[in-house]
Amino acid sequence: MTSIFADTPKYPGQRGDHARVTVSPLGDVLIRAVDIVAEEAVTIAMTPDQARALCAAIRDAADVAEGGAA
C-alpha cells in the first residue's frame, strides 16, 4: 500500500475487504479499496464534490439495504 494511506483509518468490509480514504497533496479525495480474496486493490481519485455525491449514494443504498426507501 502506498505511504499516503499508511496512517488513515481502515474501514473493514464483511468479507475481509477494506477501504481507506485520504486526501492527496493536490486536494483530490482518494479512496482505496482492497479485495482480499482477489488480492487486488484500486485507488479512485475524486474531486470533493464527486466524493460528496458518492457519500450520499452510499447512504441511500444503506437505507435501502435496511429496508427503507431511497
Side-chain angles (χ1 to χ4, degrees):
M1 185 175 299
T2 56
S3 61
I4 194 168
F5 291 96
D7 297 323
T8 60
K10 185 186 288 187
Y11 302 99
Q14 293 180 341
R15 294 168 186 81
D17 303 336
H18 65 269
R20 290 177 183 240
V21 179
T22 191
V23 177
S24 78
L26 300 175
D28 295 324
V29 176
L30 303 178
I31 303 165
R32 184 168 181 85
V34 178
D35 181 331
I36 296 299
V37 174
E39 297 179 348
E40 295 179 349
V42 63
T43 300
I44 302 168
M46 297 184 166
T47 66
D49 285 341
Q50 290 171 322
R52 285 185 197 95
L54 176 61
C55 179
I58 291 170
R59 288 182 192 169
D60 289 346
D63 289 344
V64 170
E66 288 183 328

